[in-house]
Amino acid sequence: MGSMSLRFRNTLGGELQPFQPLEAGKVGLYTCGPTVYAPAHVGNFRSFVFADLLRRYLQWSGYSVTWVLNITDVDDKLIRRAAAEGLGITELADRYAERFREDMRLLGIGPPDVMPRATAHIDEMVALIRQLLERGHAYRTDDGSVFFSIDSWPAYGRLARLDPEQQRVGERVEADEYAKDDVRDFALWKGPKPGEPSWSTAIGEGRPGWHIECSAMSMKYLGASLDLHTGGIDLVFPHHEDEMAQSEAATGQRFVSVWMHCAHLRMGGQKMAKRTGNLALPEDVYAEGVPPRVLRYALLSTHYRTGPDFTEASLATAASSVERLSTVLLALDAYREEREDDLSLTPLLEEAHQAFRSHMDDDLNIAPALGAVFDLVRELNRRLADRGLSTADAARAADALRDLDRVLGVAEDRATPEVDAAVQHLLDLRVAARNERDWARSDALRAELAELGVTVEDTADGQRWRRSTEPVHG
Ligand SMILES: [Zn+2]
């Protein structure tokens, strides 16, 4: 069961609050997903890695989590891009949705329980818009559009803490493009236009606005009230402000208990290498020899509400941290020593577990939580070097570290990946060659394995191997 002291900072109100799920032991988590008109870049993935860290931590804490991450597959940018490439919107969306799934898999994100696509939920959006029309929170315009009436909803602006007199900035629809009653009002439904996709529905022909998509999909899968809603800080306004207004106006219930937003990465400028530039893609980073798990570590190792610098130095730090964690796991697995158990090990493991938990309970305070993990790694390395552990101790310590890595998902772990038969055969041949002291053959086999992406090392405890390009497991 979940910890009693778990607390999150709620963007709504800005306070640190004890986390109380609506239903004991269960959590509904909604994350605003990508608009699939182009590949998502590293900055986008920071917010998905954050949502995944939150999801993993909740599960590790004993909650049963339902995680919904949507795919926006119809919007202005996507329509323009599809037209420019001479593709249908579905074709373009399929291409980048597939790419997004693959990027998530490599980064150890999810998979989410549900990945709903907007165009498969037009009926739910229309039902919501009809409710808003009936309740007097929305109105139609001559071109077949429907707008949310901000004047009808005095609570508008609570999430972003807007000055009521403030004009809307960053609205997607140009003020002069549609005839709105109030410049602040936002489109729930956009009337049909030549050359744009549209649906024939009970509220007429047209297509949905962006914000209504997330209200319809989150409430369909998680209910009218949900526990957690995450996204990048840029989504607070107008997207989440609008989602909250239209959802609560339609249902009369509180939409979300806790809103959590993560800060932007501070990316390198034009002069930086491609892999740390403003629009770096994960594949640009991997192409320069950074494994996915190292990128994941770099994205999650700073508190989600602060913007980490994404630089060569932060990638180097991430690489050495992942290496330390992976190496101690390999060493613990290979370790054999006939001796009495180390009685101080159990308290050491428990202390690390408790420290990790108490920091993560504090609004996912990741930096000191990682500090607790690496304090433990340092202690274990010392005991391994002193041969102060028994074989059973080493196995217990490896289990404890793997348990913490269920939350982090960064360790390279040879226990997890499946070995194909060809690789296993070469590994076995190499062990045999070494037993026969045939060093030339052993070196030749090492080179052959390297060509298959498998790195072999020889240690006091025998041959160890790992893959250099494995996706993150866990
Ligand atoms: Zn959204």
Side-chain angles (χ1 to χ4, degrees), residues 30-33 70 72 210-211 214 229 235 239-240 243:
Y30 186 86
T31 298
C32 285
N70 75 290
T72 294
W210 174 36
H211 315 306
C214 283
H229 194 315
L235 295 184
H239 186 50
H240 289 164
E243 261 189 61

Side-chain angles (χ1 to χ4, degrees), residues 28-230:
L29 167 63
Y30 186 86
T31 298
C32 285
T35 300
V36 283
Y37 73 105
H41 54 73
V42 170
N44 301 134
F45 278 103
R46 197 211 178 192
S47 94
F48 302 124
V49 166
F50 150 64
D52 183 65
L53 180 71
L54 173 63
R55 185 268 306 181
R56 285 172 182 250
Y57 187 64
L58 289 163
Q59 287 177 334
W60 187 83
S61 300
Y63 292 103
S64 160
V65 180
T66 304
W67 185 21
V68 180
L69 187 153
N70 75 290
I71 298 280
T72 294
D73 60 354
V74 56
D75 100 324
D76 298 340
K77 282 181 299 209
L78 194 146
I79 292 166
R80 277 199 297 271
R81 175 66 65 94
E85 295 197 18
L87 297 172
I89 61 163
T90 308
E91 216 176 327
L92 186 77
D94 283 350
R95 178 197 295 173
Y96 288 113
E98 192 42 52
R99 168 107 179 231
F100 182 71
R101 279 198 179 81
E102 177 61 10
D103 280 338
M104 281 206 305
R105 189 184 70 79
L106 286 170
L107 279 169
I109 300 170
D113 299 284
V114 192
M115 287 185 73
R117 280 170 72 145
T119 55
H121 296 79
I122 302 288
D123 289 350
E124 287 84 351
M125 296 177 208
V126 166
L128 208 49
I129 294 168
R130 289 179 79 176
Q131 247 170 311
L132 289 166
L133 284 165
E134 281 162 21
R135 288 179 167 231
H137 294 297
Y139 59 91
R140 295 169 188 276
T141 55
D142 291 343
D143 66 356
S145 298
V146 180
F147 284 87
F148 184 86
S149 163
I150 285 177
D151 239 8
S152 79
W153 194 247
Y156 191 86
R158 272 198 316 142
L159 183 66
R161 281 173 266 180
L162 296 183
D163 176 343
E165 299 304 312
Q166 189 178 335
Q167 290 299 313
R168 291 170 62 84
V169 287
E171 177 52 86
R172 287 179 155 208
V173 178
E174 295 298 322
D176 58 356
E177 203 177 327
Y178 294 92
K180 296 188 271 188
D181 288 359
D182 182 325
V183 70
R184 300 173 306 160
D185 292 348
F186 59 90
L188 298 164
W189 188 255
K190 299 179 178 184
K193 286 188 176 176
E196 288 193 352
S198 68
W199 284 261
S200 246
T201 73
I203 52 170
E205 182 86 10
R207 64 179 170 97
W210 174 36
H211 315 306
I212 199 73
E213 297 177 6
C214 283
S215 289
M217 290 186 275
S218 59
M219 292 200 282
K220 171 166 182 178
Y221 295 101
L222 298 171
S225 291
L226 47 129
D227 295 301
L228 292 167
H229 194 315
T230 74

Side-chain angles (χ1 to χ4, degrees), residues 275 283-292 294 319 468:
R275 70 179 184 182
E283 68 177 21
D284 299 331
V285 180
Y286 307 150
E288 294 186 48
V290 177
V294 170
S468 31

